[in-house]
């Protein structure tokens, strides 16, 4: 079942590698079924070059495996929790991509210094608080999802489809697994540019709010002018 | 019509990717017809690996589409305005290449610290002022062209074929689309070297003006000694 | 003899190159036989693209060549000494990978700023003291092994399978040559991320000890949840 | 004539590209004939992917073209002058490789922070003084060679086969064109590591002189232990 979704999610996992976002097996992508009840996700620790669509694992929104003989990614509970809380998302990625992880480790949000950022993220990419010892010991992966959701209490996850988990690395999401991968690629590029901008100048001038608005809306707003229809 | 120009501009767009200047679809190249009345430009948001010469869009110098079924790049009005104001240019690129964009975001011009710079740009690569809110809301892309032209009021665009739009990224130009791509490649390399030079030493010694002159003229002057004739 | 081990060690040497950890011939991998009496190691100064499994050299744990017509890597005495002292390791690599070597040259240990580090190294990657002039002149390569062993007097080499030799570069080890390569890849990635983290923020917040523990144990502990069984 | 040398120099020029040391056409390699009377060098401004051995130009040690229909590299007079003054060298490269050029632009020598450096360069890689206006206007390329020779008045070019021309970039040399390329690769790697070392720590500890000596001599000394015989 879900053969099309499995193929899409398989492709999304391979695309993370092609875009240079993954070292060894440090990355995974998932997708949500159209009825929003099942999640297709990468199995844990399987090398990308032997990964096939039929290796993907299907879980329900409580995190129970309902199809597949392999164990799901250890980050599965985080993915499932995000699908439960973020309406309208259909795909998620988690990577340790180099520059985004630098910001996650420095626990600094990625400011929108330029229009590349504004084309994809409508404001700074936020950082979560660290988990408490209790949260780690009780249900580490699920609570990782909870601190992300907590961080977005007053933020819109649709227009800001990425987060940095403090001391860990980025998660991105989107309408589909492919869209989440696109946001992971954009996040890494934006992080690298922000890194260099901050090296060149300790207090870079913030992007004018009306330029942020213009760029985000011209790509994503109701009157988007970008791409073909 | 303009089949040769379409092929040249198509190749220029692919070369931007080959040279590593483009992430996702963040880049475009255009070329001007010999009669200087028509512009061939990349369509908006089309992935490079499916782009064919016949997908390119032809517009006039007022920005009206006169051939092609796809929408032109959203940056088309900037290209057209530059062709109208910069005599002698025949090709333009716009990218978000990593190191040039760092300088654009930091809103710092790229100083000529060395001969690599001097071989391509006869002086610092300038930064525009930011657009006003009115300029953004009225005609963002066309006004992006206007602030570039304003920045070059006292500069020669032929000997300094690149600019950084504040908070955005680089545009480059040249005699042809291929020449504009060459300048985009040179700009990114020069930006990366300038970045490192400024990390190593907070006030690097400026290049001697007579070395800047010598290098620029030996490649581009009336008695150029470089290359074959 | 040891044909399987030769093939594994040959593959490990090639994998160091594939993962971008080796410039010119600056790297080598070795593996220990199951009886823990013989070491298979790369010959000295042979280019990787002409290296064949049968070129590998077999030495005993005193460093005597017992098979092979080529000279072993000049770093062989370091490898042999580590096999004699670190119980349970079956493979070793030495590279001059770029970011790990930056830390070795700066003589700064690599702090665990994030979970990528914690997934592979249970604590900071330590730096040795420099060798004395006497140690260098007497038996440089063997004494390089001795300062590594000295540095691990109060550390567990199994849960911290890497070291930076001061002013030199990294050694990594593991259960097998392939496992040592995996740790060399992880070390270089972790070093690059730590470099950027420290550039972004001069005193980054340390990773919470309970997160370090959780990540290390979920991959390597008795109840490891990672990968397939 | 000199067909073998042409093939070697042609290969050396291509290897500069393969090793990532060349952007556009910014690089060239040359070789000296066995009788030390003729130099084979890349023609000026010819793209590497169409370069053939028969395109190479032969000049004498006064810089006169004695074979070939194309113009030699504009840097030819620098190469020729170095062959006249540095006994025992048989090949030269000039590139604008990224990190070596950063140091040349910052006009900072590359200190031997580690053994990677010591394996190839027996001491710091020096920087020339800038040329005077008179030197630039009179005979720029030849005088570039003169300031290099001046810088080596008290240095041995054989054990320190590289220089940074102030505000310009690196030249390297060696026994042959292939050996000069190897030194160009080593220089760029060493420059990148030095860059990072100096970013991590403003005053890195110098490499112990006896380690510098040991590493240089074990690769290049009369009792070299490295490689096969």
């Amino acid at each position: 079942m879900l053969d099309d979704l499995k193929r899409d999610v398989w492709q999304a996992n391979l695309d993370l590698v092609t875009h240079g976002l993954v070292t060894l097996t440090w990355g995974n992508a998932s997708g949500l079924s159209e009825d929003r009840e099942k999640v297709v996700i990468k199995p844990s620790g399987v090398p990308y070059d032997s990964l096939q669509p039929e290796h993907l694992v299907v879980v329900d929104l409580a995190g129970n495996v309902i199809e597949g003989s392999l164990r799901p990614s250890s980050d599965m509970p985080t993915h499932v929790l995000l699908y439960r809380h973020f309406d309208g998302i259909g795909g998620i990625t988690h990577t340790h991509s180099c520059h985004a992880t630098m910001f996650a480790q420095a626990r600094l949000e990625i400011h929108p210094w330029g229009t590349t950022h504004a084309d994809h993220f409508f404001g700074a990419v936020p950082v979560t608080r660290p988990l408490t010892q209790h949260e780690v010991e009780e249900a580490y992966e699920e609570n990782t999802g909870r601190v992300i959701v907590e961080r977005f209490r007053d933020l819109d996850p649709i227009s800001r489809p990425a987060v940095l988990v403090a001391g860990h690395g980025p998660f991105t999401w989107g309408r589909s697994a492919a869209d989440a991968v696109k946001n992971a690629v954009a996040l890494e590029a934006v992080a690298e540019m922000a890194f260099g901008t901050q090296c060149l100048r300790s207090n870079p001038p913030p992007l004018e709010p009306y330029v942020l608005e213009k760029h985000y809306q011209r790509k994503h707003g109701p009157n988007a002018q970008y791409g073909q229809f």
Side-chain angles (χ1 to χ4, degrees), chain A:
Chain A
M1 74 184 197
L2 299 172
D3 283 350
D4 286 355
L5 184 59
K6 281 181 189 167
R7 180 155 292 272
D8 291 349
V9 172
W10 171 74
Q11 186 64 53
N13 275 285
L14 298 193
D15 287 349
L16 290 177
V17 178
T18 305
H19 282 289
L21 304 182
V22 171
T23 301
L24 296 172
T25 57
W26 314 337
N28 48 67
S30 70
L32 186 64
S33 63
E34 282 195 37
D35 62 11
R36 306 190 69 78
E37 294 193 349
K38 294 174 224 71
V39 175
V40 171
I41 193 166
K42 183 174 172 287
S44 179
V46 173
Y48 294 90
D49 51 10
S50 62
L51 189 69
Q52 295 300 328
E54 59 268 25
H55 296 148
L56 295 187
V57 185
V58 183
V59 300
D60 64 21
L61 285 186
N64 303 306
V65 174
I66 56 180
E67 192 192 308
S69 55
L70 297 171
R71 308 177 76 204
S73 164
S74 56
D75 299 306
M76 179 272 288
T78 316
H79 289 240
V80 166
L81 193 128
L82 294 181
Y83 286 122
R84 288 212 306 265
H85 284 80
F86 288 170
D87 286 346
I89 74 170
I92 296 174
T93 77
H94 172 49
T95 76
H96 290 209
S97 75
C98 186
H99 293 86
T101 303
M102 289 172 185
F103 278 88
Q105 293 190 160
R107 307 188 184 194
L108 297 172
E109 60 183 15
I110 303 177
H111 283 286
W113 303 123
T115 62
T116 321
H117 188 116
D119 283 335
H120 295 86
F121 308 104
F122 194 33
V125 175
V127 186
T128 68
R129 66 165 172 82
L131 278 74
T132 65
Q133 183 160 0
H134 177 72
E135 286 168 334
V136 168
E137 289 169 359
E138 179 206 43
Y140 175 57
E141 293 81 8
E142 189 171 351
N143 285 331
T144 296
R146 287 195 202 288
V147 296
I148 295 173
V149 170
E150 178 188 310
R151 185 66 189 79
F152 275 78
R153 193 179 295 151
D154 301 313
L155 298 176
D156 170 24
I158 299 302
S159 62
R160 216 177 303 209
V163 73
L164 305 175
V165 176
H168 189 154
F171 283 79
T172 68
W173 47 84
R175 279 172 287 110
S176 61
D179 198 40
V181 169
K182 192 177 288 190
N183 288 329
V185 172
L187 178 66
E188 176 60 14
V190 157
E192 184 172 5
M193 289 173 182
F195 174 78
T197 302
Q198 293 175 223
C199 286
L200 279 171
R201 192 168 181 172
S202 51
N203 281 301
L207 190 66
E208 290 70 19
Y210 51 88
V211 177
L212 178 70
E213 173 92 18
K214 175 70 183 178
H215 266 264
Y216 188 78
Q217 298 300 346
R218 106 176 161 162
K219 258 198 160 167
H220 305 280
N223 302 310
Q225 303 158 267
Y226 191 83
Q228 310 300 327
F229 300 135

